[in-house]
Amino acid sequence: MGQGLAAVCVLISCCTAGNPLAIAQSDVKCPLNLSHLDLRYRHSGGNSQPQLNLAFTNISERKLTRIVFALSILDSGGYSRSHDDDLIYSKGAYPGKPVFFRWTLIPESVDIHHTGESVEVKEVAFADGSTWRGDGSPACTATVDFHPK
């Protein structure tokens, strides 16, 4: 029985030694601070295009190489509709440096009379090859709701 316990300890050590986030990841609420969210139709070359502006800051201590965001849009009736595609940011984000990025969306995917939007951080890849996955925590979500309070 002592040999079986030693084998289990070795297996756990081998599996977590290469990934320092394997155990500690659940303690991290969100590696980003989302500070500005704005979805509106803008005129570009004669066409109206919905564009999502997002400002965020990397609050981790490591460079981020890829961030995946999920977008939900409140339609004119106030119902939340998930956007079909994830929004990807892959230009790199250094610790403590604010980032402002704009995505142009497909017009058919955004109700021109929408009443709000929400962005959630789904996944982050770090320059060291490790990743972080969101759990739906409010700390990783920015929401704009135009309904009267």
Side-chain angles (χ1 to χ4, degrees), residues 3 10-11 17 32 35 44 59 69 81 92-93 106 110 122 125 127 135:
Q3 290 177 334
V10 169
L11 180 61
L32 298 177
S35 56
S44 174
I59 58 172
F69 298 97
R81 308 283 185 211
I106 298 169
V110 179
K122 286 178 63 175
D135 61 1

Side-chain angles (χ1 to χ4, degrees), residues 19-147:
N19 184 0
L21 293 180
I23 295 173
Q25 179 172 336
S26 62
D27 295 340
V28 178
K29 287 292 181 200
C30 190
L32 298 177
N33 177 25
L34 304 174
S35 56
H36 177 79
L37 172 62
D38 177 39
L39 173 62
R40 65 180 68 195
Y41 272 77
R42 289 187 171 75
H43 297 290
S44 174
N47 298 323
S48 291
Q49 293 278 6
Q51 295 180 334
L52 179 87
N53 294 310
L54 182 64
F56 57 90
T57 302
N58 173 0
I59 58 172
S60 77
E61 296 179 359
R62 299 175 287 167
K63 179 184 177 188
L64 309 178
T65 56
R66 185 173 190 266
I67 306 164
V68 180
F69 298 97
L71 171 64
S72 295
I73 301 168
L74 294 177
D75 65 16
S76 56
Y79 298 100
S80 181
R81 308 283 185 211
S82 294
H83 189 264
D84 291 337
D85 298 317
D86 288 336
L87 304 175
I88 309 292
Y89 177 82
S90 58
K91 294 183 181 275
Y94 290 91
K97 303 288 184 191
V99 174
F100 181 83
F101 196 74
R102 176 179 291 160
W103 289 270
T104 298
L105 307 175
I106 298 169
E108 295 77 24
S109 70
V110 179
D111 181 347
I112 196 165
H113 302 291
H114 74 282
T115 59
E117 54 269 2
S118 179
V119 169
E120 177 188 341
V121 182
K122 286 178 63 175
E123 183 177 323
V124 171
F126 295 94
D128 64 8
S130 62
T131 59
W132 175 92
R133 283 184 177 45
D135 61 1
S137 164
C140 274
T141 305
T143 301
V144 173
D145 187 342
F146 300 117
H147 288 96

